[in-house]
Amino acid sequence: MFSRNDFSIWGFLKKCIGMELSKITMPIVFNEPLSFLQRITEYMEHTYLIHKACTRSDSIERMQLVAAFAISAVASQWDRTGKPFNPLLGETFELTRDEEGYRMISEQVSHHPPISALYSESLNQDFSFHGSIYPKLKFWGKSVEAEPKGTMTLELSKHREAYTWTNPMCCVHNVILGKLWIEQYGTVEIVNHSTGDKCLLNFKPCGMFGKDLHRVEVHIQDKSKKKHRVIYGKWTECVYSIEPKVYETNKKAEKKSGGDSKKHKQEQSTGGDDADEMPDVQETVTMVPGSTLLWRVAPRPPNSTQMYNFTNFAMTLNELEPGMIGVIAPTDCRLRPDIRAMENGDIDTASREKERLEEKQRAARRERAKDEEEWSTRWFQQGNNPYTGAADWIYKGGYFDRRYPHLPDIY
């Protein structure tokens, strides 16, 4: 990373209060050297949870693992305060991981509003995972709030099951003053459209004294609303599964013994208008006896804090491996010169290239308007989600046939 200390963030952001940031060209100082298409690929870091779900014969056990996968998908956002580059219209990203048994393709299908579509499939046809995301960003004076609109769909072919869910809200605090910190919050409902099982994921807001920072609490019920499992833990660390009755008994006992410490915290707490103080992170999740571990986050590399707080997985995403050129599509973001220059530490070139690419995109849009020509997407088409009926982007197929004629020259 390069230092952001010389840049007046407030000087730039004060004119953006209450506005949607996707419509504003942001200075490169806010960025991390990945495209948003690469960032959404980080959903796939814990694909082993889906493979595991495919092997389970019980639908509640499968739902537990799908819930763990949905939680693990946001884990890499912890401490990731850099903004990914906005993808250019028509930009793509592909990833094949033979050892993890999947391949994935994503495409920027719309520029205003910015919509990214993704499709991933198991190499042995066990599952497919797909969705489209419109990241709605708003600046509220001290914080930036991101609402990732769109539906995620997971299909397990062997069990003839489909699960759908949306993503939690994300907030970056102290964008002006103080230490940047991130929280995820909101209720996410996962529905198994074949069995009627439901899972309610509660990403808890940090709360008054920070006791709920990063915490998740999840309830799994069948179609008759009978509760079967509770999942608890932190999206930054790990999650466990337990019988609901055992969990509730333990919670009551905790409440009885926890009154005095809360009062002590209240006396210590002092108000301040300047920054949203990041609460002290209580590092570990206390395991309730009788719980089963579902997922634990992989440790980050030792140099992560100097490298935009990337995970090991994120660090590999922009790697242009020998033999890729001429094989991957010419629209792949590994070939994007501004991101490459930033990764190489050349911030001036990165900034110039970012401006050039944005102007090139505007010029192409003006040309299309003059010719009354509509933009046509290559790998996805607009449609409706087959399970929810909501507007969605459906993969048309054909990307991995490796025939890329008539792709636009976007770089």
Side-chain angles (χ1 to χ4, degrees):
M1 283 175 73
F2 57 90
S3 170
R4 292 175 178 156
N5 297 341
D6 303 334
F7 182 79
S8 168
I9 294 179
W10 177 239
F12 176 79
L13 279 180
K14 63 185 172 189
K15 59 181 185 282
C16 306
I17 293 177
M19 291 174 73
E20 201 189 316
L21 296 182
S22 65
K23 293 185 170 73
I24 294 157
T25 301
M26 306 285 276
I28 205 163
V29 71
F30 287 103
N31 286 70
E32 61 174 27
L34 286 180
S35 164
F36 185 69
L37 294 183
Q38 291 163 314
R39 186 81 175 252
I40 61 175
T41 303
E42 294 180 57
Y43 271 104
M44 304 307 294
E45 181 169 357
H46 305 279
T47 303
Y48 71 89
L49 291 164
I50 304 180
H51 288 305
K52 222 181 212 182
C54 292
T55 66
R56 296 293 190 263
S57 55
D58 178 67
S59 73
I60 298 296
E61 281 189 36
R62 289 195 294 277
M63 179 63 96
Q64 285 189 142
L65 289 157
V66 172
F69 175 73
I71 294 165
S72 77
V74 299
S76 69
Q77 293 190 31
W78 174 49
D79 267 358
R80 291 278 288 285
T81 51
K83 176 185 173 298
F85 281 69
N86 288 342
L88 301 163
L89 188 58
E91 186 172 306
T92 59
F93 183 69
E94 67 164 270
L95 187 70
T96 300
R97 288 282 162 98
D98 293 323
E99 61 282 14
E100 276 99 46
Y102 70 88
R103 63 185 186 182
M104 177 176 173
I105 170 64
S106 55
E107 177 183 5
Q108 190 69 4
V109 291
S110 169
H111 186 59
H112 284 309
I115 301 174
S116 309
L118 68 109
Y119 175 83
S120 177
E121 62 187 10
S122 147
L123 296 177
N124 59 6
Q125 279 77 54
D126 269 357
F127 73 82
S128 67
F129 173 65
H130 46 95
S132 51
I133 298 176
Y134 160 23
K136 212 170 177 185
L137 300 176
K138 277 212 168 159
F139 174 55
W140 294 114
K142 285 199 273 187
S143 60
V144 171
E145 190 176 62
E147 182 187 359
K149 293 168 95 68
T151 303
M152 311 313 295
T153 303
L154 173 66
E155 293 168 293
L156 305 183
S157 45
K158 179 182 157 192
H159 301 286
R160 295 186 179 152
E161 282 180 340
Y163 301 80
T164 59
W165 67 92
T166 54
N167 292 295
M169 299 283 276
C170 177
C171 187
V172 181
H173 292 270
N174 297 341
V175 288
I176 307 302
L177 190 71
K179 180 176 162 45
L180 287 165
W181 59 281
I182 287 177
E183 66 172 326
Q184 308 264 2
Y185 49 85
T187 304
V188 171
E189 184 183 68
I190 303 177
V191 179
N192 180 332
H193 292 269
S194 311
T195 63
D197 298 340
K198 279 187 182 172
C199 170
L200 288 171
L201 282 84
N202 183 7
F203 286 81
K204 298 195 170 201
C206 127
M208 208 39 190
F209 310 108
K211 74 182 177 66
D212 285 334
L213 183 65
H214 303 152
R215 290 197 180 276
V216 285
E217 189 176 281
V218 182
H219 296 269
I220 296 176
Q221 59 187 42
D222 62 24
K223 66 177 173 189
S224 66
K225 298 199 172 171
K226 182 190 172 190
K227 287 185 179 175
H228 284 266
R229 299 299 284 179
V230 170
I231 297 171
Y232 66 93
K234 291 185 178 184
W235 59 267
T236 51
E237 193 183 324
C238 60
V239 289
Y240 292 93
S241 164
I242 195 167
E243 289 283 340
K245 279 180 185 165
V246 180
Y247 183 72
E248 290 308 323
T249 306
N250 185 74
K251 213 172 168 182
K252 279 175 192 162
E254 235 178 38
K255 261 187 187 166
K256 270 186 188 172
S257 64
D260 295 338
S261 60
K262 191 183 272 187
K263 194 176 166 191
H264 175 63
K265 259 191 187 168
Q266 204 160 339
E267 285 162 4
Q268 281 186 326
S269 175
T270 56
D273 295 330
D274 296 336
D276 296 332
E277 278 305 309
M278 179 176 173
D280 292 334
V281 179
Q282 288 131 38
E283 283 304 330
T284 52
V285 173
T286 308
M287 185 184 132
V288 179
S291 302
T292 309
L293 180 71
L294 289 178
W295 164 80
R296 186 181 293 283
V297 74
R300 293 193 181 181
N303 56 350
S304 176
T305 49
Q306 287 92 54
M307 305 268 184
Y308 300 90
N309 290 306
F310 280 7
T311 60
N312 278 308
F313 185 82
M315 283 187 184
T316 66
L317 292 176
N318 207 41
E319 191 68 23
L320 196 53
E321 292 169 29
M324 275 188 178
I325 293 178
V327 176
I328 59 175
T331 47
D332 193 287
C333 35
R334 292 179 185 88
L335 304 170
R336 194 172 151 167
D338 51 353
I339 297 178
R340 181 65 56 201
M342 189 179 193
E343 182 176 308
N344 292 339
D346 186 348
I347 201 66
D348 294 336
T349 301
S351 194
R352 278 196 308 273
E353 284 294 316
K354 181 173 178 279
E355 280 175 35
R356 180 184 69 79
L357 292 173
E358 285 165 354
E359 182 45 48
K360 184 172 181 171
Q361 179 168 246
R362 284 190 285 269
R365 190 165 64 241
R366 286 193 296 268
E367 279 298 308
R368 285 196 304 278
K370 201 167 75 180
D371 300 340
E372 296 182 354
E373 187 190 321
E374 287 285 312
W375 172 264
S376 66
T377 54
R378 298 314 190 268
W379 312 111
F380 292 82
Q381 64 191 18
Q382 242 174 329
N384 294 95
N385 187 290
Y387 308 104
T388 66
D392 207 347
W393 286 84
I394 314 298
Y395 179 56
K396 293 193 277 193
Y399 177 86
F400 291 99
D401 296 344
R402 301 284 175 213
R403 289 193 295 272
Y404 305 130
H406 317 307
L407 283 184
D409 171 19
I410 58 174
Y411 303 141

